[in-house]
């Protein structure tokens, strides 16, 4: 069976994602659409609005197989995020990778990707600023070029043009709306049902504000020396985090207090997520957790090694970071599903 992979967050899954999955299947002529989906925390260093289990179930509206992008890579910089997604696609033996982009000209994307290949995106500066070309500085184009740089030559690359709205649009625009706009609508209690393919229970929706008490405890209860061991805690940032936390009472005001010209909002937000999850170093990608599948997805994974449809004592050490992320996420979300009591979500499609 021919397969096409999509690297996504589905935060939450909406009609734009449904369109993307349909176009990926059509353009690749694939039998199987695989979603490589971020877990409980996302690439901008935010807790996902809904748990990975709820989002994986929603993704079955357009995908046949949903696996978890390992947590370290799911909340990393664009290059590591892309590397993690592409590596996962290789483990899954995907034939193609389809990705959304503001520019769907693969040759242009490849040329620009080669031009900025040496950019140091870990410097703390905006990657878009370092690129110096507004034509390619949109968020999806940036990720698209990272996928191009990370991809094996044997992987067929398929850019799919983003339609009707932009990544940062904050207002609902009818049937196709950005995830940002939908999250804003959920927070405000507005009706967003026209923008999603299936109903969503918003009762368990969360944001950084909900997690702020846990973050505050973490920073207050650890010494600067202990915080210094957190991944990407550089140039004395641990002292900056400590000096402002005691008098901060919500996440938004705390971010405004610690933000500097040198470090972007996303850079600091990602650092706070590393701090909350106690992430001190990266992790190799050896094994992949399957979150959801239909009959096609189940047939596809037969015979592929290093895939796990449930977590138990025997394989738990392979997913320690994902398990910890879910435990911390559930403290705030109230979700009862965790990595041990929730086997693969299965949707039967043939009778």
């Amino acid at each position: 069976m021919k397969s096409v992979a999509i690297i996504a967050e589905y935060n939450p899954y909406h009609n734009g994602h449904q369109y993307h999955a349909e176009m990926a299947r059509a353009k690749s002529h694939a039998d199987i659409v695989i979603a490589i989906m971020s877990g409980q925390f996302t690439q901008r260093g935010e807790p996902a609005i809904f748990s990975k289990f709820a989002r994986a179930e929603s993704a079955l509206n357009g995908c046949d197989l949903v696996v978890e992008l390992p947590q370290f890579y799911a909340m990393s910089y664009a290059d590591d995020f892309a590397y993690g997604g592409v590596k996962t696609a290789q483990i899954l033996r995907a034939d193609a990778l389809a990705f959304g982009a503001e520019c769907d000209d693969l040759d242009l994307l490849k040329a620009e990707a080669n031009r900025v290949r040496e950019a140091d995106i870990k410097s703390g500066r905006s990657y878009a600023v370092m690129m110096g070309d507004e034509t390619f500085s949109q968020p999806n184009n940036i990720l698209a070029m990272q996928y191009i740089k990370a991809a094996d030559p044997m992987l067929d690359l398929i850019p799919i043009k983003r339609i009707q709205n932009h990544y940062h649009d904050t207002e609902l625009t009818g049937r196709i709306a950005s995830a940002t706009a939908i999250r804003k609508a959920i927070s405000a209690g507005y009706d967003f049902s026209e923008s999603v393919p299936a109903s969503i229970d918003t009762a368990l929706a969360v944001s950084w504000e909900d997690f702020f008490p846990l973050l505050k405890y973490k920073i207050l209860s650890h010494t600067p020396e202990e915080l210094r061991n957190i991944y990407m805690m550089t140039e004395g940032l641990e002292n900056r985090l400590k000096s402002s936390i005691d008098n901060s009472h919500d996440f938004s005001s705390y971010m405004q207090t610690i933000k500097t010209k040198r470090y972007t909002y996303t850079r600091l937000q990602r650092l706070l997520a590393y701090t909350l999850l106690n992430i001190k170093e990266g992790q190799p990608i050896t094994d992949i957790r399957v979150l959801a599948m239909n009959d096609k997805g189940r047939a596809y994974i037969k015979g592929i090694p290093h895939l796990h449809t449930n977590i138990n004592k025997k394989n738990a050490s392979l997913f320690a970071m994902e398990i910890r992320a879910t435990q911390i996420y559930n403290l705030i979300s109230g979700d009862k599903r965790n990595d041990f009591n929730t086997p693969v979500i299965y949707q039967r499609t043939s009778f």
Side-chain angles (χ1 to χ4, degrees), residues 57-87:
E57 189 169 14
S58 294
L60 288 177
N61 282 286
C63 305
D64 304 297
L65 178 66
V66 186
V67 304
E68 183 171 3
L69 176 61
Q71 184 61 74
F72 174 78
Y73 296 92
M75 53 191 284
S76 291
Y77 299 88
D79 59 344
D80 284 343
F81 180 90
Y83 167 80
V86 170
K87 177 67 174 179

Side-chain angles (χ1 to χ4, degrees), residues 3-4 15 40 56 77 81 90 114 125 128-129 138 150 184-185 189 194 200-201 222 224 238 269 277 287 300 342 347:
S3 62
V4 58
N15 289 335
Q40 309 292 30
Y77 299 88
F81 180 90
Q90 290 172 340
N114 288 329
R125 293 183 294 156
V129 169
Q138 298 96 328
K184 182 181 177 183
E194 186 181 358
I200 295 176
D201 181 2
H222 285 70
E238 68 278 3
Q269 188 169 249
L277 299 182
D287 292 71
Y300 179 80
T342 309
Q347 183 183 88

Side-chain angles (χ1 to χ4, degrees), residues 39 275 278:
T275 302
N278 199 38

Side-chain angles (χ1 to χ4, degrees), residues 20 98-103 140-141 143-144 147 158-162:
H20 183 205
F99 47 85
E102 289 83 5
C103 170
N140 291 116
N141 282 345
L143 273 177
Y147 297 146
I158 305 173
I160 297 174
K161 190 172 181 63
R162 189 181 181 100

Side-chain angles (χ1 to χ4, degrees), residues 2-6 8 10 12-28 30-37 54-67 98 160 175 196-198 292-297 347 349:
K2 187 176 183 180
S3 62
V4 58
I6 296 169
Y10 295 154
Y13 188 84
H14 56 65
N15 289 335
H17 296 136
Q18 186 83 351
Y19 168 81
H20 183 205
E22 291 169 356
M23 291 298 293
R25 191 188 300 273
K27 288 193 171 189
S28 66
D31 305 292
I32 301 293
V33 176
I34 304 168
I36 300 170
M37 190 190 78
R55 287 157 39 239
E57 189 169 14
S58 294
L60 288 177
N61 282 286
C63 305
D64 304 297
L65 178 66
V66 186
V67 304
I160 297 174
R175 187 178 178 278
V196 295
M293 62 186 179
N294 60 22
D295 286 340
K296 285 185 177 180
Q347 183 183 88
T349 52

Side-chain angles (χ1 to χ4, degrees), residues 63-287:
C63 305
D64 304 297
L65 178 66
V66 186
V67 304
E68 183 171 3
L69 176 61
Q71 184 61 74
F72 174 78
Y73 296 92
M75 53 191 284
S76 291
Y77 299 88
D79 59 344
D80 284 343
F81 180 90
Y83 167 80
V86 170
K87 177 67 174 179
T88 301
Q90 290 172 340
I91 291 174
L92 289 159
R93 301 176 182 174
D95 299 293
L97 176 67
F99 47 85
E102 289 83 5
C103 170
D104 63 348
D105 188 317
L106 183 59
D107 290 335
L108 285 178
L109 288 170
K110 284 182 176 180
E112 184 66 9
N114 288 329
R115 187 183 73 79
V116 297
R117 188 172 292 274
E118 301 304 320
D120 178 16
I121 68 168
K122 291 186 175 66
S123 68
R125 293 183 294 156
S126 166
Y127 186 46
V129 169
M130 284 187 287
M131 290 174 63
D133 188 337
E134 292 183 2
T135 305
F136 295 96
S137 64
Q138 298 96 328
N140 291 116
N141 282 345
I142 291 172
L143 273 177
M145 287 184 284
Q146 293 298 330
Y147 297 146
I148 289 168
K149 290 192 282 185
D152 184 282
M154 297 300 294
L155 190 65
D156 188 18
L157 299 176
I158 305 173
I160 297 174
K161 190 172 181 63
R162 189 181 181 100
I163 61 171
Q164 296 187 25
N165 63 78
H166 296 287
Y167 179 89
H168 291 300
D169 283 352
T170 59
E171 300 300 326
L172 295 176
T173 52
R175 187 178 178 278
I176 302 291
S178 72
T180 300
I182 294 172
R183 291 194 300 272
K184 182 181 177 183
I186 291 172
S187 178
Y190 298 152
D191 180 20
F192 61 94
S193 58
E194 186 181 358
S195 302
V196 295
S199 62
I200 295 176
D201 181 2
T202 62
L204 297 179
V206 296
S207 71
W208 247 125
E209 295 295 348
D210 300 308
F211 284 83
F212 184 68
L214 277 184
L215 175 67
K216 187 171 185 176
Y217 171 78
K218 172 75 176 183
I219 295 173
L220 286 173
S221 62
H222 285 70
T223 66
E225 291 72 24
E226 290 170 327
L227 291 175
R228 197 173 299 138
N229 293 321
I230 297 297
Y231 183 69
M232 295 305 295
M233 189 74 75
T234 59
E235 300 179 332
L237 277 172
E238 68 278 3
N239 296 314
R240 189 170 186 83
L241 298 190
K242 290 283 288 185
S243 65
S244 302
I245 191 66
D246 197 37
N247 294 321
S248 297
H249 304 291
D250 58 72
F251 185 77
S252 297
S253 62
Y254 182 57
M255 284 294 296
Q256 292 304 315
T257 301
I258 64 173
K259 189 178 182 301
T260 69
K261 290 183 179 180
R262 177 170 176 77
Y263 295 106
T264 65
Y265 189 98
T266 300
R267 162 73 168 84
L268 291 172
Q269 188 169 249
R270 193 177 289 124
L271 177 64
L272 294 177
Y274 293 145
T275 302
L276 180 66
L277 299 182
N278 199 38
I279 294 176
K280 299 178 181 179
E281 58 185 359
Q283 61 180 22
I285 301 177
T286 60
D287 292 71

